[in-house]
Amino acid sequence: MGGAVSAGEDNDDLIDNLKEAQYIRTEKVEQAFRAIDRGDYYLDGYRDSAYKDLAWKHGNIHLSAPCIYSEVMEALKLQPGLSFLNLGSGTGYLSTMVGLIIGPFGVSHGVELHKDVVEYAREKLDDFIKNSDSFDKFEFCEPVFVVGNCLEISTDSHQYDRIYCGAGVQKDHENYMKVLLKIGGILVMPIEDQLTQITRTGQCTWDSKNILAVSFAPLAQQSVADGEKPDAVQLPPVTVRGLQDLSRIYIRRTLRSLAKEEALGKDVAQRLPQKRKRRRCRRRRRISTYVFVGNQLIPQMVESEEEEQQQQQHAEEERKEVAAAAAAEEEEERDLGDIEILKQVNMLRDQIMSLPLPESLKAYLLYYREK
């Protein structure tokens, strides 16, 4: 499934194509897609295919097409603080993008059938936290992945605000998925070759909407020996953050806000138009003369040579001002390029490193990131 948009040369180029084709429609979804490089979730040697609008599979590792993930992210209508369950969480690519939107007070859990894929997802998550500049530009909800079959989730599990299933759901499993959803929540999953958005409007009422025609592999049934009961999947507990963790979140939030204000101040300063010098108003000197009209003598003002020179001088000054204004606009465009480079600098890290704190505490505030 895929091929709806042109291939990109890099991640940003791919996102531009998804926006142009209206698969990405909101700013927060665009920011999440730009923050997570899809190529980072490909195995070495396969990255050249990362920016095509195509699904990719190698062994148990699988990524859906970018246009599918775009529609899923838009259909989930994510907000900060929501709880999210990813059934068939795979590489963790989608869960990581979701975590950038729901933030540190959200909950993100993933269930994946294959143990090697869960290990791969944890490695990619650890790499994102330690090495990506995007981690410092967002408040992040770290996803937790568990191994298990999505169809064997314990019946006493808690419910979620948002759920996505990344494999084809048969009609007789639809209600099983729905009971995991809170009232007012949204479930997005492929049913009968249609990516479907289901909103729980009441205890026993639902609204359904088809989003996109898709083709997904069906959910895998757990194979067990005759007479044995399948292992129930215990979802991770929803825990309350400790005071130390909360302090780190709010310190980073404050420093990030200060860094943005500083960058904005430089932006505004560079955008201010240059002050133009006011021309001095010079009184024109005129020569009075008289002419006869009929039998009457009528005075008439005649411009002198000096006044003509002044007019020429004023015209030359105006020409120079127009040229200076055009040059200033060109300089401003160059400055905007410098501003974009400035924004790419990890200013949060600089803020933390400048604090008069012990190195161990700085490392904690940086999540022990080395760069």
Side-chain angles (χ1 to χ4, degrees):
M1 182 65 195
V5 301
S6 301
E9 295 182 0
D10 55 24
N11 194 65
D12 281 329
D13 197 23
L14 172 63
I15 307 312
D16 290 341
N17 293 339
L18 291 169
K19 279 189 64 181
E20 184 178 357
Q22 289 295 301
Y23 284 101
I24 293 178
R25 299 179 290 276
T26 58
E27 183 179 357
K28 60 186 175 183
V29 170
E30 177 188 352
Q31 289 177 348
F33 268 86
R34 292 193 187 279
I36 310 297
D37 194 320
R38 179 178 169 90
D40 292 341
Y41 289 79
Y42 276 62
L43 292 170
D44 293 340
Y46 296 90
R47 193 182 178 104
D48 290 344
S49 301
Y51 309 117
K52 298 177 181 178
D53 188 31
L54 298 172
W56 176 74
K57 182 175 175 62
H58 187 277
N60 292 325
I61 299 173
H62 176 264
L63 282 164
S64 294
C67 67
I68 300 295
Y69 284 134
S70 303
E71 287 288 3
V72 170
M73 290 284 286
E74 294 287 358
L76 286 170
K77 299 182 179 180
L78 298 164
Q79 298 292 338
L82 295 180
S83 56
F84 172 67
L85 176 62
N86 191 349
L87 300 174
S89 50
T91 64
Y93 171 64
L94 179 69
S95 293
T96 303
M97 288 194 293
V98 169
L100 297 178
I101 298 179
I102 64 177
F105 301 110
V107 173
S108 179
H109 294 159
V111 180
E112 169 58 43
L113 181 63
H114 303 288
K115 183 178 179 180
D116 61 324
V117 179
V118 170
E119 292 174 352
Y120 185 83
R122 290 169 179 167
E123 290 175 4
K124 292 302 178 183
L125 174 62
D126 185 62
D127 182 67
F128 169 73
I129 293 174
K130 288 184 177 179
N131 299 313
S132 174
D133 275 349
S134 295
F135 180 78
D136 281 341
K137 296 175 183 177
F138 292 80
E139 292 189 332
F140 183 57
C141 176
E142 185 174 340
V144 180
F145 305 112
V146 297
V147 180
N149 190 296
C150 299
L151 297 175
E152 301 298 337
I153 294 175
S154 178
T155 56
D156 60 351
S157 296
H158 41 268
Q159 296 175 313
Y160 293 82
D161 297 300
R162 300 291 188 270
I163 300 175
Y164 170 64
C165 182
V169 178
Q170 297 179 359
K171 201 66 178 176
D172 54 351
H173 291 141
E174 181 178 350
N175 289 333
Y176 169 83
M177 299 292 179
K178 287 179 177 179
V179 298
L180 295 170
L181 193 64
K182 291 181 180 179
I183 295 176
I186 296 175
L187 164 64
V188 178
M189 61 182 178
I191 304 176
E192 298 180 338
D193 294 332
Q194 283 287 334
L195 187 64
T196 306
Q197 179 195 61
I198 299 175
T199 304
R200 187 168 189 173
T201 57
Q203 190 65 35
C204 301
T205 56
W206 317 82
D207 283 341
S208 296
K209 175 185 176 183
N210 289 338
I211 302 172
L212 186 70
V214 294
S215 177
F216 276 70
L219 277 172
Q221 301 283 344
Q222 186 169 357
S223 59
V224 295
D226 292 341
E228 291 186 12
K229 186 177 181 180
D231 296 331
V233 176
Q234 298 293 332
L235 294 175
V238 177
T239 58
V240 178
R241 291 184 178 271
L243 181 59
Q244 182 173 325
D245 197 15
L246 289 171
S247 299
R248 175 166 60 178
I249 290 170
Y250 279 101
I251 289 173
R252 286 171 62 88
R253 177 181 292 181
T254 301
L255 293 176
R256 189 181 293 108
S257 177
L258 291 173
K260 287 182 178 179
E261 289 179 4
E262 182 179 342
L264 181 61
K266 292 180 180 179
D267 190 341
V268 172
Q270 293 181 1
R271 288 173 181 265
L272 287 176
Q274 295 181 354
K275 293 183 178 180
R276 296 184 180 181
K277 294 182 180 180
R278 296 180 59 186
R279 292 203 310 267
R280 295 178 59 186
C281 295
R282 301 176 183 178
R283 297 190 61 173
R284 295 182 176 180
R285 299 177 61 185
R286 297 176 179 270
I287 297 176
S288 297
T289 187
Y290 296 85
V291 295
F292 281 99
V293 179
N295 58 354
Q296 294 183 346
L297 188 64
I298 300 177
Q300 185 175 359
M301 305 301 293
V302 178
E303 293 182 351
S304 66
E305 293 182 1
E306 180 181 356
E307 183 178 6
E308 291 179 357
Q309 293 176 355
Q310 289 177 353
Q311 287 180 340
Q312 293 176 357
Q313 183 178 356
H314 291 330
E316 180 65 20
E317 288 177 358
E318 290 179 355
R319 186 191 65 77
K320 290 181 179 180
E321 285 184 0
V322 171
E329 290 178 359
E330 292 178 0
E331 182 67 24
E332 183 178 356
E333 290 178 359
R334 288 194 294 269
D335 290 343
L336 290 178
D338 295 337
I339 292 169
E340 291 302 319
I341 295 174
L342 176 66
K343 289 180 179 179
Q344 294 175 8
V345 177
N346 191 337
M347 300 187 71
L348 176 61
R349 182 180 182 85
D350 293 342
Q351 292 272 3
I352 292 175
M353 295 304 295
S354 67
L355 295 174
L357 297 173
E359 293 301 317
S360 59
L361 184 52
K362 291 181 183 179
Y364 176 74
L365 291 173
L366 290 169
Y367 285 82
Y368 303 99
R369 290 161 50 87
E370 296 180 358
K371 62 179 182 178

